Amino acid sequence: MTEPFVHIENLSINFRKNVVWAELFWTINKGENWLLTGASGSGKTVLAKVIAGLIHTSGSLEINYRGNLTPKTLFVAQWFPFKDKQGTANFYYQQRYNSTEAEDCNTVWEEISAYCKTLGKMEQNGMAILQSFDLLHRKDAPLIQLSSGEHKKLQLSKALLLQPQLLILDNPYTGLDAQTRQNLNTLINQACAGGMQLILISNDGNEPSCIRHFAKLANGKFSTSLTRDVEIPNAVKANITLPAFLNTPLFENQELVKLTNVNIQYGEKIVLNHINWTVKKGEKWLLQGPNGYGKSTLLSLLTGDNPQAYANEIYLFGKRRGSGESIWDIKKNIGFISPELQWFFEPASTVFQTIASGFFDTAGLFRKVSAEQNQKVIQLMELLDLAAEEHSLLTQLPLGKQRLAFLARAIIKNPPLLILDEPCQGLDQQQTNLFNNLVDVLCTTNRSLIYVGHFENRLPGCIEHRLSLNNGVATNIGQLLEQEITT
């Protein structure tokens, strides 16, 4: 009888005195590719790290490598860690928009070519994988200037270049546009046809056709099947009662944002090309576009983080950018979430500190809060079911709860404008429903919204308008039809 490729017996793990899962048994035979699902916090990532040898626990784990591919299990995390040329990762959020400081980072091509050399592969292999992920035109871009979606593409490019015998992908579709998700599945199918085996962690329903086996973690129990356990989205609106301090924001100007013929360029790359756009009081917008085609740069102009705003005609909350207002005058009117903000956030922050930092628009809490501010934080933790994690380090929580903490941080000031860039990354379906329901309720108070999301069936129902960017050009500015957000 042929020995299995992966054999797990009686694995158990506890986290913070709670059993994540106990006495887990799992056999993966040669040629099998698996989808691993489960709610956020059920232990999927922990199990993946155990298999990859990154976490040690009780029980038996055996992996029998064979074949011509690299005898290795590679775990690809949701985040893409990178370092500067001195080998440190001490970056700050606005650094990506400062061209002089970008020189401290490798370019995309320097990163890929060095990796190819390490693996003993030809540079043509690196060129080909960049082309497959539509990154070749960004080969000279410093890593610090990549969008979250482009970072994910680079991370996946390196994983597929390695050609490990077992590849474990933790939510790889997070932050990827529809075309890139399709390209990724094609590349995965090709790699698995060549002998690679896959464990895919995902609840998105986008798995490649090579997957024929399914596993699920739920309530500390592990189950397997040959059919996909399809999760039906809950369409019932939650009964959400907002704290009194989140009433209608006090802001009189009817135009919150106005961009007139805005152009942004880095070297020869035109990022934004003659953008004209107005966001009025109470309007809810969807901002769309392929990865790396201008969305993050556009948002950075609105949040006050991009110095090129001064060279353009941009009006924020009734004032021309550069007319004497400070960055804090801008940020006090904006509640903001983005993957990049979470990357560069103070890693030693607790849940309470993360939420409270929203009062001061800092990437961590560096001053004492008042009694009134303390009470508002407590009310939001209770609203989002985070009270039990008040003193927990944010980085130790499941990504879904981290995102909810950042939502609380975004709304703590009761801002007239919410800018939510891929806010549901890492959330399971139940948390996505809760998050978007809460956004819908927040936007009944004449609040404006700019929402970036690549999954059109996971958007708040309040969205009315759409701005699409492609190669820095606004290809669609107008009303969003109802049928377009339900497909």
Side-chain angles (χ1 to χ4, degrees), residues 202-214:
S202 177
N203 292 314
D204 294 327
N206 288 278
E207 62 269 13
S209 60
C210 64
I211 288 180
R212 294 286 186 271
H213 300 267
F214 306 90

Side-chain angles (χ1 to χ4, degrees), residues 61-135:
L61 167 65
E62 180 180 325
I63 302 178
N64 300 298
Y65 297 111
R66 49 182 174 264
N68 298 323
L69 299 183
T70 304
K72 179 180 176 65
T73 296
L74 177 65
F75 171 75
V76 179
Q78 295 189 46
W79 300 112
F80 177 76
F82 65 96
K83 298 180 179 180
D84 60 20
K85 292 181 179 179
Q86 285 72 46
T88 65
N90 188 27
F91 300 110
Y92 60 92
Y93 176 65
Q94 291 88 351
Q95 186 172 351
R96 62 185 301 210
Y97 304 112
N98 294 324
S99 57
T100 55
E101 299 193 38
E103 296 174 359
D104 292 335
C105 287
N106 284 335
T107 65
V108 170
W109 179 242
E110 287 171 339
E111 184 81 4
I112 285 292
S113 61
Y115 194 61
C116 286
K117 185 176 181 180
T118 300
L119 299 178
K121 294 183 180 292
M122 302 290 290
E123 288 190 345
Q124 290 91 325
N125 297 115
M127 285 286 190
I129 197 69
L130 291 182
Q131 182 68 48
S132 297
F133 280 104
D134 190 28
L135 273 179

Side-chain angles (χ1 to χ4, degrees), residues 84 179 254 270 296 365 467:
D84 60 20
Q179 183 59 56
Q254 290 302 307
I270 298 175
S296 295
L365 184 63
L467 168 65

